[in-house]
Amino acid sequence: MRLRAKNLREETEMKTFFALTKRNVKVFFKDKGLFFSSLITPIILLVLYSTFLANVYKKSFLGPDGFEMPEKLLNGLVTGELVSSLLAVTCVTVAFCSNLLMIQDITSGARNDLLVSPIKSPVLSVSYFTATFLSTIIVSLPAAAACFVYTAIKGWYLSFADVTLIISDVVLLTLFGTALSSCVNVFLTTNGQASAVGTIVSAGYGFLCGAYMPIASFSPALRNIIMFLPGTYGTALVRNHALSGALNELGSLIEGDAARAEVLKNIKDSVDCNVYFFGDKVEIWVMYLVLAGATLLLLGLYVLLGKLLKKHK
């Protein structure tokens, strides 16, 4: 009898979770202003990056001595850095836009109605998280597709494995951005606060994660501090996979194993394909572990905060 009651309760909670998630996603897409502002952000960033940062990146690859390489390969390297920067920022900043629904429910009073209902706080919190993730990934994947089209126009050196890994990076970064935005937005109570936080994140996150400027160009002290931020490892992951094919092609043009290894290492260091934690190189699997661990930690913290806030109310 107890087992049957437990199963019935779990089934009810699952149905409630799916209903809330479906409702949150529908509300997000019904708000045309919120949806289009999220959708247009990656396109604007792609235009800005290609317009203002392409020449800066191109000079960094050529070096002070004007190192000669085929134009297509140079474009492929520059495009890989641009695309990785855009995706690393988009997956997080769009999550903050998608998560504004939680603030809207607070200002409209809908969240208070849900909090006084029999719905368990973790179910409500996870439904917001899942809806935000789904809304963000619907924007992030087309952004990745636009980046692939741009890469094909400029210089395609990606393999099927590279494309698959970039997509997996986008999914993981979207999960991280959703968890981060959930932990931040859970404390906000007005649209003005949400707009202020969104502006700060949009302006500052790209610098902190190494998307706008490689952290290799920062001072050693600042570099060590930034390496404690999980977003840095997300940028490095996308950058490694976006530049993998072009760097392999560049390596094939350099004669001598020692010279090839030295040139490729210097380039990877300069564009944050290689990142170092207090002088020790961070391996790819460690980057995945840090980003996934940070996402799970933030998700657990968000659920706990939601439970505590419900008790407070």
Side-chain angles (χ1 to χ4, degrees):
M1 195 70 178
R2 290 181 179 177
L3 181 61
R4 183 179 179 183
K6 181 181 178 182
N7 291 337
L8 182 61
R9 184 168 61 251
E10 290 178 350
E11 183 180 350
T12 302
E13 289 178 356
M14 190 61 65
K15 288 181 178 179
T16 303
F17 164 74
F18 283 119
L20 287 172
T21 301
K22 184 178 179 180
R23 172 258 179 191
N24 293 338
V25 173
K26 280 186 174 181
V27 171
F28 173 79
F29 286 104
K30 281 183 178 180
D31 189 336
K32 302 303 181 184
L34 187 60
F35 171 63
F36 284 112
S37 65
S38 301
L39 187 63
I40 202 173
T41 297
I43 307 301
I44 293 175
L45 285 176
L46 182 59
V47 172
L48 292 176
Y49 279 26
S50 59
T51 302
F52 297 104
L53 291 179
N55 288 332
V56 176
Y57 290 162
K58 185 175 292 188
K59 290 178 182 178
S60 68
F61 281 113
L62 290 174
D65 299 326
F67 176 73
E68 294 292 335
M69 69 175 71
E71 186 69 19
K72 181 183 176 182
L73 177 57
L74 178 59
N75 288 334
L77 291 168
V78 171
T79 301
E81 189 170 3
L82 286 172
V83 164
S84 60
S85 298
L86 184 145
L87 293 177
V89 173
T90 296
C91 293
V92 175
T93 55
V94 171
F96 274 84
C97 291
S98 303
N99 217 343
L100 290 178
L101 174 62
M102 189 164 59
I103 314 301
Q104 291 179 356
D105 279 354
I106 292 175
T107 57
S108 66
R111 185 174 175 86
N112 287 333
D113 295 337
L114 293 171
L115 286 173
V116 298
S117 68
I119 298 173
K120 289 187 175 181
S121 177
V123 175
L124 179 60
S125 297
V126 175
S127 70
Y128 277 121
F129 176 90
T130 306
T132 300
F133 170 74
L134 292 175
S135 301
T136 306
I137 202 68
I138 288 173
V139 177
S140 297
L141 289 179
C147 289
F148 289 140
V149 171
Y150 180 73
T151 302
I153 294 172
K154 289 294 185 177
W156 183 275
Y157 290 95
L158 299 175
S159 65
F160 177 77
D162 293 331
V163 172
T164 303
L165 288 170
I166 290 172
I167 293 174
S168 69
D169 295 339
V170 167
V171 174
L172 183 55
L173 271 168
T174 301
L175 283 169
F176 169 72
T178 302
L180 179 63
S181 64
S182 298
C183 284
V184 173
N185 287 0
V186 75
F187 294 104
L188 308 182
T189 56
T190 66
N191 290 327
Q193 293 174 354
S195 299
V197 169
T199 302
I200 293 172
V201 171
S202 300
Y205 180 79
F207 288 101
L208 294 177
C209 73
Y212 297 155
M213 290 180 60
I215 61 174
S217 62
F218 296 162
S219 66
L222 182 57
R223 205 156 51 227
N224 290 332
I225 293 173
I226 289 178
M227 289 307 299
F228 283 98
L229 305 178
T232 304
Y233 300 95
T235 304
L237 280 172
V238 186
R239 191 151 292 170
N240 268 285
H241 299 141
L243 287 171
S244 176
L247 288 174
N248 289 336
E249 180 67 19
L250 176 61
S252 67
L253 300 178
I254 302 173
E255 296 182 0
D257 293 340
R260 182 184 304 114
E262 182 67 20
V263 170
L264 292 180
K265 179 183 180 301
N266 289 338
I267 291 178
K268 288 181 177 181
D269 287 349
S270 66
V271 298
D272 292 344
C273 286
N274 292 337
V275 292
Y276 299 87
F277 186 79
F278 288 90
D280 294 326
K281 181 183 174 183
V282 181
E283 301 296 334
I284 295 290
W285 68 270
V286 177
M287 297 179 193
Y288 276 117
L289 188 62
V290 170
L291 195 59
T295 301
L296 291 175
L297 181 63
L298 288 170
L299 176 58
L301 179 61
Y302 164 62
V303 172
L304 178 61
L305 289 171
K307 194 171 183 179
L308 292 175
L309 288 174
K310 181 176 181 180
K311 287 182 179 180
H312 176 70
K313 287 182 179 298

